[in-house]
Amino acid sequence: MKKAKKYELLSNVAIVFMLAIVVVGAFSGGFYAVQKEKETYAPIYKGSREERKISLMINVYWGTEYIDSMLETLKEHDVKATFFIGGSWAAKNEDVLVKIAEAGHEIGSHGYYHKDHAKLDFDGNYNEIYVTHKLIKQILGVDMDLFAPPSGSFSKTTLKVASQLKYRTIMWSKDTIDWRDKDTQLIVKRATSNVKNGELVLMHPTKNTADALGTILKFYIENGFKVVPVGENITNE
């Protein structure tokens, strides 16, 4: 009888031990899943701080008349930028979009209608990104994988949708605010002050930006920075 109780006690201990392993495994697995999800969905604000690279991210919904000038300046300095394209703009300016791509610049998505993605539900975020992807692939034959949310506005849902559509969500480390402040020297200052490795510099096709671009690129190159597309800058992030 005592032996039976002894075995019963050992059996109960074994059961408790096994349950403890399951619980710990569940929690650790859950923690890992949360960490992994957080890492997968996190937006990117900069490139590698280990390499002397800088990227220009040019968001395009308007300013078509200044794009040729910017393309010429980029060509003159033998550098490539990343153009984040609005779908509604692309639908009306296929020829300009093709010109940008044929010049060897990287193409990213800027959504379709420049909506506030933080206020959109799952379907709203999905449609903005997916429809833009399909349109630009139809025009250029490329699969984009970089998404810059309009006005930098996003939610966890935005990040999740982008990730499911195989996009990385891109923010910026320097903002020229050229759409608001039409001041060439101020744009140059914002793009070049205290620059660090891995900077992602936000700008738009405006007259003052087109005027400032040559000075900005000259500064980067003279200070030993290589200007590369965003995708190349964030490869090791």
Side-chain angles (χ1 to χ4, degrees):
M1 194 70 174
K2 288 183 178 179
K3 183 177 290 189
K5 287 184 177 181
K6 181 179 179 181
Y7 283 128
E8 183 180 349
L9 177 62
L10 290 173
S11 177
N12 289 338
V13 170
I15 291 171
V16 170
F17 180 71
M18 291 300 294
L19 285 173
I21 291 175
V22 171
V23 170
V24 170
F27 273 105
S28 61
F31 177 75
Y32 174 75
V34 169
Q35 291 295 93
K36 186 176 181 181
E37 178 175 305
K38 182 178 180 181
E39 180 182 350
T40 302
Y41 297 158
I44 298 171
Y45 289 85
K46 59 181 176 60
S48 172
R49 293 301 195 195
E50 303 302 317
E51 300 182 73
R52 206 157 178 77
K53 294 178 180 178
I54 286 180
S55 297
L56 302 182
M57 42 190 301
I58 304 169
N59 291 352
V60 183
Y61 267 101
W62 36 260
T64 310
E65 63 270 34
Y66 304 113
I67 290 178
D68 277 346
S69 173
M70 295 179 76
L71 290 176
E72 284 299 318
T73 302
L74 291 166
K75 181 179 179 181
E76 179 185 338
H77 291 82
D78 193 26
V79 301
K80 305 301 181 187
T82 301
F83 287 78
F84 287 91
I85 304 297
S88 58
W89 179 88
K92 298 174 183 177
N93 297 278
E94 289 189 24
D95 55 334
V96 184
L97 175 58
V98 169
K99 185 182 292 187
I100 294 170
E102 287 183 343
H105 299 290
E106 183 176 47
I107 306 298
S109 172
H110 201 33
Y112 200 88
Y113 284 120
H114 205 276
K115 291 187 175 182
D116 185 340
H117 280 252
K119 296 180 179 178
L120 299 179
D121 60 11
F122 185 95
D123 289 342
N125 275 285
Y126 190 96
N127 290 336
E128 280 287 307
I129 300 172
Y130 181 74
V131 173
T132 304
H133 184 94
K134 295 295 288 185
L135 172 65
I136 293 180
K137 184 171 183 179
Q138 181 181 344
I139 297 170
L140 299 178
V142 300
D143 283 305
M144 301 176 294
D145 64 355
L146 303 177
F147 170 62
S151 303
S153 178
F154 64 87
S155 65
K156 289 182 180 178
T157 300
T158 307
L159 298 175
K160 184 174 183 178
V161 170
S163 180
Q164 288 185 5
L165 289 171
K166 303 187 185 307
Y167 275 85
R168 290 170 288 179
T169 300
I170 308 299
M171 298 297 285
W172 60 83
S173 59
K174 281 193 173 298
D175 187 355
T176 61
I177 322 179
D178 51 2
W179 58 271
R180 185 190 71 188
D181 300 323
K182 299 173 176 60
D183 183 323
T184 302
Q185 293 308 312
L186 185 56
I187 292 169
V188 170
K189 182 178 179 181
R190 286 174 176 157
T192 60
S193 295
N194 301 314
V195 288
K196 300 179 180 65
N197 294 352
E199 300 281 19
L200 304 181
V201 184
L202 177 62
M203 56 181 58
H204 304 79
T206 73
K207 180 183 184 305
N208 296 99
T209 303
D211 292 341
L213 187 57
T215 302
I216 293 169
L217 292 175
K218 184 178 179 182
F219 176 89
Y220 292 157
I221 294 168
E222 288 180 348
N223 283 274
F225 289 100
K226 183 178 181 181
V227 182
V228 300
V230 172
E232 182 177 336
N233 200 348
I234 65 175
T235 299
N236 297 321
E237 282 297 287

